[in-house]
Amino acid sequence: MAIQRTFSIIKPDATKRNLTGAIVAKFEEAGLRIVASKRIHLTLAQAQQFYGVHKDRPFFGELCEFMISEPIVVQVLEGEDAIAKNREVMGATNPADAAPGTIRKEFALSIGENSVHGSDAPETAAEEIAFFFSGLELVG
Ligand code: UDP
């Protein structure tokens, strides 16, 4: 498997509880390199656009409100098989189902307030990276 890049968000529940460093440590321990990183505060329109794929789901409104409730940290992670590796480090969407040692098992509060986002495929990774970062901000 080649070197890949994936997109990550450290979500409001985690930035609020000062868990940014602890989460970055999990990425780095797994061999993922942070090649871009910034702390931002989304607007409602930006959150709705980012999560547009979920616009018909019952949790869409609550999810967007949560994502604008506090600043987030958006990052690009690089490494061998980075998309799958990041999903593994994140753990299952619902922390109750997440494996021991994963970010969501250790830090998530609920299925909604689950500390991290990570791209699920090469196409979404490319789209999500381009939504938040310019090429000049990616420093491998
Ligand atoms: N989510 C939620 N309720 C649900 C399912 C998902 O609030 O029943 C939120 C949760 O924050 C999740 C995000 O919507 O991370 C995107 O859902 P997805 O199924 O894509 O999960 P992920 O890829 O983040 O594991």
Side-chain angles (χ1 to χ4, degrees), residues 44-71:
L44 182 58
Q46 289 166 341
Q48 288 170 336
Q49 191 179 344
F50 179 73
Y51 277 119
V53 66
H54 294 307
K55 68 179 187 320
D56 296 324
R57 308 281 289 277
F59 56 83
F60 179 69
E62 201 182 342
L63 174 61
C64 292
E65 288 298 331
F66 163 60
M67 291 301 292
I68 68 169
S69 65
E70 293 280 335

Side-chain angles (χ1 to χ4, degrees), residues 114-136:
N114 60 2
S115 305
V116 279
H117 165 86
S119 309
D120 59 3
E123 301 71 33
T124 45
E127 278 172 29
E128 292 173 356
I129 290 169
F131 187 78
F132 287 100
F133 292 99
S134 75
L136 282 175

Side-chain angles (χ1 to χ4, degrees), residues 69-134:
S69 65
E70 293 280 335
I72 60 173
V73 176
V74 292
Q75 299 186 309
V76 179
L77 313 180
E78 182 181 88
E80 189 88 12
D81 206 7
I83 295 169
K85 188 174 283 178
N86 182 41
R87 297 290 304 187
E88 203 178 300
V89 174
M90 288 165 59
T93 308
N94 186 343
D97 302 329
T102 61
I103 292 169
R104 283 168 165 169
K105 185 65 172 187
E106 290 194 11
F107 303 127
L109 299 175
S110 66
I111 191 169
E113 301 196 16
N114 60 2
S115 305
V116 279
H117 165 86
S119 309
D120 59 3
E123 301 71 33
T124 45
E127 278 172 29
E128 292 173 356
I129 290 169
F131 187 78
F132 287 100
F133 292 99
S134 75

